[in-house]
DNA sequence: TTTTAATTGTTGTATATACAACTGTTGTGC
DNA sequence: GCACAACAGTTGTATATACAACAATTAAAA
């Protein structure tokens, strides 16, 4: 369905249309992701932070590292990490060399939860872009990269 | 910059990569849009609702119509509209024929505000996709449409 | 006609987010 | 060494959002 039909707005400037199209599609995908995460009690940002921590492969991360890599730059990573710690999915220790810094790591419980989620999440992702050919996927990624400059 | 570099994650399944790429790019664009709206005291969802109301061309809209057309399906359109009414940008009257329904319209003040915002917003949109050719833009819109099915 | 179901919004509650102010820690120039 | 700036997180406050429960009105069924 064309974006014009969805938002019932004819004759938009192409730039506006494209921006709305990207945001709208992303919202759909976010909703679907949230749906997958719901049974596991995680929000999408929480899940993304967990994945970042897993990507550290044992090496702990400080808050600014997490923030740099976050898909959605949240203003309050502290409280997001708090939630993960409350759930026992991450741990935080104050850095010995530089006591301004904190070191955040994923716990075994966190890793276990992520590995449970991986399959259904990738399945959803597959399904979400199942209408695209391999070439389409490459083009889309290239175009998005081009948008970001 | 490739999405892998940004989130520092090598070798993702292509589907996951693409989904993250879309959401990440959309977040950038949302942030930029919010930046444009800030001086006008509007959030992005508020702005979108105002645009929907303007698109009605005088005809009032009820809540479910607004919700259908919203870029981001918010669960609480009531309170979003409340904010617009507080600011004098929209008005709400209870529908005479069906008193469950409400009729929401944009006010003159709302229209005036939107017309102020149009130029800087479209300018931002232009800039955001300035690296895309006309063909690129068409491909991107087609591919996103294909994703949505 | 009275009861039941469906529609349309609203409100309550918990959580999330943006933004700015604040605290504690480290580094720099004098 | 001391004042001051820069850094790294944390906390406060207002707003936004998701989700579910609720109320009011209308339509349908018995």
């Amino acid at each position: 369905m064309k974006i014009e039909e969805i938002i019932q707005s004819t004759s938009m400037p192409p730039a506006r249309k494209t921006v709305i199209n990207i945001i709208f599609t992303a919202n759909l995908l976010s909703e679907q992701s949230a749906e997958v995460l719901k049974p596991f009690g995680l929000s999408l940002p929480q899940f993304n932070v967990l994945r970042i921590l897993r990507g550290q492969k044992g090496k702990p991360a400080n808050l600014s590292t997490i923030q740099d890599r976050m898909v959605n730059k949240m203003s309050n990573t502290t409280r997001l990490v708090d939630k993960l710690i409350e759930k026992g999915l991450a741990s935080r220790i104050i850095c010995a060399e530089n006591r301004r810094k904190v070191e955040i790591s994923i716990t075994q419980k966190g890793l276990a939860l992520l590995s449970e989620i991986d399959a259904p999440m990738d399945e959803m992702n597959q399904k979400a872009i199942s209408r695209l050919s391999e070439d389409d996927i490459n083009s889309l990624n290239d175009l998005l990269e081009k948008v970001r400059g």
Side-chain angles (χ1 to χ4, degrees), chain A residues 52-84:
Chain A
I52 290 167
L53 293 176
R54 177 173 62 180
Q56 292 287 99
K57 303 197 190 307
K59 219 179 67 183
N62 54 31
L63 271 186
S64 51
T65 306
I66 295 175
Q67 245 161 355
D68 288 346
R69 298 192 187 158
M70 270 164 74
V71 178
N72 33 357
K73 309 284 174 218
M74 275 226 329
S75 55
N76 211 326
T77 314
T78 298
R79 278 182 282 227
L80 187 45
V81 169
D82 284 346
K83 292 284 164 188
L84 294 177

Side-chain angles (χ1 to χ4, degrees), chain A residues 25 29 125-141 143-144:
Chain A
T25 309
L29 295 172
N125 289 341
Q126 283 287 353
K127 209 168 168 184
I129 63 162
S130 59
R131 291 171 206 83
L132 302 189
S133 69
E134 204 167 324
D135 280 354
D136 284 341
I137 292 176
N138 290 330
S139 307
L140 180 50
N141 281 313
L143 287 167
L144 291 171

Side-chain angles (χ1 to χ4, degrees), chain A residues 2-18:
Chain A
K2 287 202 173 299
I3 191 73
E4 289 96 333
E5 298 168 42
I6 296 167
I7 68 171
Q8 286 281 4
S9 174
T10 50
S11 78
M12 284 180 279
R16 191 193 297 177
K17 172 179 159 178
T18 306

